Amino acid sequence: MYAIVDIAGKQFKVTQDQFVYAPKMQGEEGASVEFDKVLLLDNDGKVEVGAPLISGAKVSGKILGHVKGDKVIVFKKKRRKGYKKKNGHRQDFTKILIEGISN
């Protein structure tokens, strides 16, 4: 069984006991969360597609922690002008354990 769910504006394909790195959300470590924006639900080959959402379907999870992603280097240069800029960025994520999918 899997579901496609909208978490903080991004779509994720989730199954039970899966870890998801979603954009940073409010909440403490160990807090439980529910996502009710379920777009698609597959229950052993029986696919249910929402228009746009499936009413009554929910995905429950637990926040395991707030982490940072890998560093991305942003380097800008204009040749023969002496212009160089180097910058780095690390995105904030929330690690979520999917505990269950209910219909």
Side-chain angles (χ1 to χ4, degrees), residues 10 15 18 28 32 35 39 45 48 51 60 76 79:
K10 296 195 179 244
T15 59
Q18 177 187 3
E28 308 175 352
S32 60
F35 307 107
L39 306 170
E48 189 176 345
S60 60
K76 298 179 181 182
R79 62 186 189 156

Side-chain angles (χ1 to χ4, degrees), residues 8-102:
K10 296 195 179 244
Q11 295 179 8
F12 295 93
K13 178 182 176 184
V14 296
T15 59
Q16 191 166 352
D17 299 328
Q18 177 187 3
F19 296 108
V20 174
Y21 290 94
K24 188 167 184 184
M25 302 169 41
Q26 298 295 323
E28 308 175 352
E29 291 186 24
S32 60
V33 290
E34 276 194 354
F35 307 107
D36 55 354
K37 292 185 179 180
V38 179
L39 306 170
L40 184 138
L41 195 63
D42 182 2
N43 192 357
D44 298 326
K46 183 180 170 230
V47 178
E48 189 176 345
V49 179
L53 303 174
I54 299 174
S55 61
K58 289 186 181 177
V59 174
S60 60
K62 181 172 151 185
I63 296 177
L64 297 180
H66 301 289
V67 296
K68 285 191 163 193
D70 295 334
K71 182 175 263 193
V72 177
I73 302 296
V74 180
F75 185 72
K76 298 179 181 182
K77 180 182 177 178
K78 297 195 185 219
R79 62 186 189 156
R80 297 186 302 269
K81 305 295 181 198
Y83 172 80
K84 290 189 289 188
K85 276 215 189 285
K86 183 176 179 182
N87 200 353
H89 176 75
R90 289 185 74 186
Q91 187 71 33
D92 291 321
F93 292 105
T94 300
K95 186 176 181 180
I96 300 170
L97 172 67
I98 303 298
E99 293 179 326
I101 300 170
S102 63

